[in-house]
């Protein structure tokens, strides 16, 4: 159980670090966030639903939307079970970066994967 908790913690922390490295804003009080899902604000001007659709169509990656007052304002990106694997977190970050860049959103290309890898490296040591 401890190894599973550590794997989910590392995956959630790596996803969060990668999203921040892209210049995205994480949703909510991060001192109380769960490790199995990361909420991230959809950047102003970014086509949130189009990005979600393209992530699924181009990469087979499904990221969640939200409901109620947060609908269209945040994405929910799971880091649980199969998606809590290092390679899946890195692929998700690279795919999201690619979709945002193709939509014309300006971000520091390549930084998300590097930030996530650093978290995974630190968790392994």
């Amino acid at each position: 159980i401890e190894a599973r908790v550590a794997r989910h913690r590392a995956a959630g922390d790596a996803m969060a670090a990668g999203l921040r490295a892209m210049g995205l804003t994480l949703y909510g009080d991060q001192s109380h966030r769960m490790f199995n899902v990361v909420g991230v604000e959809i950047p102003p001007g970014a086509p949130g639903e189009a990005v979600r659709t393209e992530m699924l169509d181009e990469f087979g990656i499904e990221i969640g939307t939200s409901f109620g007052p947060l609908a269209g304002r945040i994405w929910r990106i799971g880091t649980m079970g199969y998606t809590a694997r290092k390679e899946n977190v890195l692929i998700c970050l690279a795919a999201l970066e690619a979709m945002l860049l193709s939509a014309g959103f300006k971000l520091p290309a390549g930084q998300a994967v590097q930030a996530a890898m650093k978290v995974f490296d630190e968790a392994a040591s």
Side-chain angles (χ1 to χ4, degrees):
I1 297 266
E2 289 178 22
R4 289 181 185 144
V5 170
R7 179 171 56 93
H8 284 82
R9 177 177 286 122
D13 288 348
M15 181 65 74
L19 294 167
R20 282 192 302 269
M22 271 193 256
L24 302 179
T25 303
L26 301 183
Y27 177 76
D29 182 348
Q30 296 304 293
S31 66
H32 297 291
R33 77 172 178 83
M34 299 181 297
F35 298 119
N36 63 347
V37 68
V38 179
V40 60
E41 295 179 17
I42 299 169
E49 284 305 304
V51 167
R52 280 180 9 91
T53 299
E54 290 173 11
M55 290 273 294
L56 186 57
D57 291 347
E58 297 292 325
F59 299 96
I61 298 172
E62 186 170 10
I63 61 174
T65 186
S66 196
F67 309 97
L70 294 177
R73 292 185 44 216
I74 70 167
W75 291 311
R76 295 173 300 116
I77 303 176
T79 53
M80 65 199 104
Y82 182 74
T83 61
R85 298 168 59 146
K86 179 180 179 178
E87 62 269 25
N88 292 333
V89 170
L90 299 178
I91 291 167
C92 181
L93 287 168
L96 180 58
E97 178 182 292
M99 294 299 94
L100 287 170
L101 286 169
S102 72
F105 186 73
K106 304 283 188 237
L107 55 89
Q111 296 303 306
V113 167
Q114 294 302 313
M117 287 178 63
K118 181 178 179 189
V119 171
F120 281 120
D121 289 347
E122 289 170 356
S125 58

